[in-house]
Amino acid sequence: MEIVIRAENLRKQFGDVQALKGISFSIARGHCFGFLGHNGAGKSTTMRMLYGLSTVDHGYLQLLGEQVKLTPPHLKRRLGVVPQEDNLDPELSVMENLQVYGGFFGLSYRQARERGRELLDFMGLSGKENANVEKLSGGLKRRLVIARALINRPSIVILDEPTTGLDPQARRLVWQKLRTLKAGGVTLVLTTHYMEEAAQLCDELVIMHEGEVLAEGSPAALVTRHVQPYVIEVHLPREQIPPDIVEKAAAFGGEAEQMAHALFLFSKDGKKLWQSLAELGLPQHACYLRGAHLEDVYLKLTGRGDNLI
Amino acid sequence: MMAWYAFKRHLTVFRRTWWSNVAFNFIEPFLYLSALGIGLGAFIPQIDGISYIQFIAPGMAAAAGMWAATFECTYATFIRLHYQKSFHAMLAAPGTVAEAVTGDILFGALKSMLFGLVILIVIGLWGQIQSPWAGLIPLFLLLPGTVFSLLALAYTGITPHIDYLGYYVTLFITPLYLFAGIFFPVSSMPAWVQYLAWVNPLYHSVEVCRALVLGNIYAALWLHVAILLAYTVCLGWLPAYLFRKRLIT
């Protein structure tokens, strides 16, 4: 497996704030690699380092076989970037946006128009060529930004929160397009705070929190490694939860976790625990049994410090 | 190359908006020339041997160049930098900060030329162009246009909020405008103001424009050109440096 991006012990300091506290990761060609974490976790700082808006001051970053301090133009030529904030030219039409951006890569406006047509088609924007960018919906704008990022036929596409603020249909459409890109051999690097997005798209991901990588692996491996297969969510206010719930749950093979100020009971045998709810002093109607997923891993790993039990 | 691509981008946008942009600029010199040239000029017999309207008309072209570069490289640049994030888009493409900034300087200089040309046409129609040398003015205005673009970009580079741009215009550009020898000869001012005028890039631009309009060509004009060139060389690095500090973290 060819590694296209390798980072070792990246650190970044902004004044008193340590945005990255020594993170390491490697991304294989053709994979979709995710950075999962909430705002301020250091995801965007990492992305900015990859696409040349931030310098590598401490640690080592290798991009497409070259060590990088500030990503140089000849490497940026091979990247596609979908920034967190849409930065389209509002005065220009959809096609003009693609032409101007293609122009930045040295494409003639005619070449950019041809590629632009294909890309608009690919992103489901055909017929919008002459539309005013300002009048597009958030979802259409986002799709246009993705189309624009592909104008130079990049081998790596960096997507900083590609679907934040999109409705469910638009989000799924973007996912579908990203899968198609990946199938075509493009390496995807994406940040998100949507667990579902990470679970659906990523081959590998890291969970970041306050500038550190807490865990890494495939979504399924992370779930197996960090939580038990079943979980019961308890939708009760804290006062109504028996104070000795940790011990009680343990007696029935359950593991009580307080995450994001709510109670979760993890278990290898979800059914058995579910049948014991009455003995735990929890009303069944306020509980919900489901298989564990990535969000549980995320909450468990990042929620440390606000345990209330 | 990115500087050229960035410049091309600005031209593409300008093509969309040039009519409203330029048409507006026809009006202002008309107002000034009528109010000052005719109104105030009625009380002023002659300055340096020419009528008052003849005296101020060439300065209008020089000033228009300054204002065009100034507004382009303050408000328009700041909007691209802060709100539209156009610089970020360019930097995600193969280019450096210096190249993206150079695109803005080129465009600021071009706008200086275009807006100066508009005024030149107005004063030409008014019958205030005495010499074919005036045809050099648009080309010449690229030079002060570059200086004013550099100055404006340097200020924009350190501006935290769009509201602060007004200070630059009011406290810096307006004084340059009023004490550049457009409305009255600098020689009528106290000696220390005359020294200050030599620091004012617009003064040099006005002197050259007036000489070209009147066909009053003399060797010392090169001195004005040399000072503007010196400004360009000395300030050339500054905007890119400040923008880099701001954009690359």
Side-chain angles (χ1 to χ4, degrees), chain A residues 146-163:
Chain A
I146 296 173
R148 193 185 65 171
L150 302 174
I151 197 101
N152 55 321
R153 302 195 172 133
S155 58
I156 301 175
V157 180
I158 296 167
L159 304 113
D160 200 355
E161 300 192 2
T163 65

Side-chain angles (χ1 to χ4, degrees), chain A residues 265-286:
Chain A
L265 302 172
F266 288 92
S267 172
K268 280 197 185 67
D269 188 343
K271 237 179 202 165
K272 187 179 146 206
L273 192 62
W274 181 257
Q275 280 154 1
S276 330
L277 281 177
E279 284 133 285
L280 293 175
L282 297 170
Q284 227 173 48
H285 67 83

Side-chain angles (χ1 to χ4, degrees), chain A residues 15 24 68 100 137 154 166 170 175-176 193 206 216 227 243 245 254 284 288 301 303:
Chain A
S24 301
V68 159
V100 162
S137 69
L166 298 193
W175 290 348
Q176 203 53 29
H193 49 237
V206 289
E216 63 173 300
V227 291
I245 189 71
Q284 227 173 48
Y288 172 55
L301 293 175

